[in-house]
Amino acid sequence: MLTLVRSRVRTATLALSAVVALAVGATATTATTGAAAAPAPAPAAAKLGPTSVAYVEVNNNSMLNVGKYTLAGGGGNVFDVAVIFAANINYDTGTKTAYLHFNENVQRVLDNAATQIRPLQQKGIKVLLSVLGNHQGAGFANFPSQQAASAFAKQLSDAVATYGLDGIDFDDEYAQYGTNGTGQPNASSFVHLMTALRANMPNKIISLYNIGPAASRLSYGGVDVSSKFDYAWNPYYGSWQVPGIALPKSKLSPAAVEIGRTSQTTTADLARRTVSEAYGVFLTYNLDGANRSADVSAFTRQLYGSDAVYTP
């Protein structure tokens, strides 16, 4: 049997000269962005069917691409959720603490929220920030204490508030646990992190890219944080894999496709299965600036009974 390996361009490996991070409890960036709560979206045309998600590699592509696809015949947006890929969890070896880091491309999107994020939100598309490991030993699964986990949760919720985002996506890859003298994954870390983050932002979206040590450590001390997630999805593109988390089918995406690389036949099959087995989410990755209406239509026909229209 072939091992399914997803193809993602890892944000963490870019050699960037600008290092921009939110410190614990930082508020200085609020003045720069002037961000407040996201504006109320304009009324969207009715769309029946699963929630469609699009990850965008902002090192190479614009978030605005997500808003360029609608359903033929006035059926509304193709995509319901857009994910900024990706911020990082970094490690400060001096203070021995994790911190939230934005490379220059992620920072550019956030600083230009008025032109890169608000247009999507005004169409009714939710915008999440994905957070990814960065080979420094810091990850969601190895906070040494509840206090440390809560401090990082505050950085995340502060970022959501500062930039007017709709939530956070967790992707526990590339942490390289143990690097820089950091600890190995423990049972309590992600539970403490999720508990604090949900308390900080009770009405925002929290999603789980179902991979890595954190994804298998959702229960500790009698507390199970599974129900605190809004969505969880399969991390292997071109495949079907039900996330092993106690959420209703309406919040799960067993299907995952990489736009432009997963064949249209496979995409259509996965979308058809999503509908026939009554799952409520369909995950896509790597939406770029090309006209991908043929690839997108491969799943919209099955999910919504309509072709997708691309408007540059």
Side-chain angles (χ1 to χ4, degrees):
M1 179 180 292
L2 294 177
T3 301
L4 293 166
V5 180
R6 69 191 180 102
S7 171
R8 296 188 97 169
V9 179
R10 180 171 46 79
T11 301
T13 58
L14 288 185
L16 298 169
S17 59
V19 176
V20 185
L22 284 179
V24 176
T27 56
T29 52
T30 305
T32 303
T33 64
K47 183 180 83 170
L48 300 177
T51 296
S52 290
V53 181
Y55 276 89
V56 178
E57 290 266 10
V58 296
N59 291 324
N60 308 306
N61 300 300
S62 169
M63 291 300 296
L64 296 178
N65 295 333
V66 181
K68 295 179 179 179
Y69 293 87
T70 55
L71 297 174
N77 302 313
V78 166
F79 296 105
D80 305 288
V81 178
V83 185
I84 301 168
F85 190 79
N88 296 108
I89 177 171
N90 277 12
Y91 189 70
D92 186 322
T93 56
T95 62
K96 299 187 184 306
T97 56
Y99 67 93
L100 182 61
H101 164 74
F102 306 139
N103 74 24
E104 64 182 10
N105 298 303
V106 173
Q107 188 69 60
R108 186 179 301 113
V109 171
L110 297 174
D111 286 343
N112 292 282
T115 57
Q116 298 298 307
I117 295 172
R118 302 292 172 263
L120 299 179
Q121 293 173 323
Q122 287 163 0
K123 293 181 178 183
I125 299 169
K126 302 294 187 182
V127 180
L128 311 184
L129 178 67
S130 188
V131 186
L132 179 73
N134 201 7
H135 299 274
Q136 297 183 10
F140 316 127
N142 70 341
F143 287 106
S145 67
Q146 184 173 4
Q147 181 181 16
S150 295
F152 190 72
K154 188 175 189 305
Q155 293 183 54
L156 295 176
S157 57
D158 282 352
V160 168
T162 297
Y163 298 107
L165 301 171
D166 295 297
I168 292 291
D169 173 66
F170 286 110
D171 183 348
D172 189 14
E173 298 181 278
Y174 310 119
Q176 282 191 254
Y177 291 104
T179 299
N180 289 319
T182 57
Q184 292 300 313
N186 64 64
S188 64
S189 176
F190 197 40
V191 172
H192 289 323
L193 177 61
M194 269 298 300
T195 300
L197 183 60
R198 180 50 81 197
N200 291 352
M201 42 183 235
N203 301 314
K204 296 292 185 176
I205 295 170
I206 306 177
S207 59
L208 178 66
Y209 194 82
N210 191 48
I211 199 169
S216 62
R217 291 167 169 80
L218 302 179
S219 180
Y220 175 76
V223 176
D224 190 318
V225 295
S226 298
S227 63
K228 297 184 185 297
F229 290 96
D230 293 280
Y231 304 113
W233 31 70
N234 170 17
Y236 300 107
Y237 301 116
S239 76
W240 179 273
Q241 185 179 105
V242 180
I245 179 173
L247 285 173
K249 294 170 78 171
S250 61
K251 295 185 176 185
L252 298 176
S253 180
V257 302
E258 182 171 357
I259 294 175
R261 295 194 65 176
T262 303
S263 74
Q264 292 175 25
T265 299
T266 298
T267 297
D269 288 343
L270 291 170
R272 190 178 302 113
R273 187 171 179 182
T274 297
V275 172
S276 67
E277 298 190 22
Y279 284 95
V281 189
F282 191 84
L283 177 68
T284 74
Y285 167 69
N286 208 24
L287 183 67
D288 60 19
N291 181 350
R292 298 292 183 181
S293 56
D295 294 297
V296 174
S297 292
F299 66 83
T300 61
R301 291 189 196 107
Q302 306 302 322
L303 299 182
Y304 313 117
S306 173
D307 283 338
V309 177
Y310 171 78
T311 304

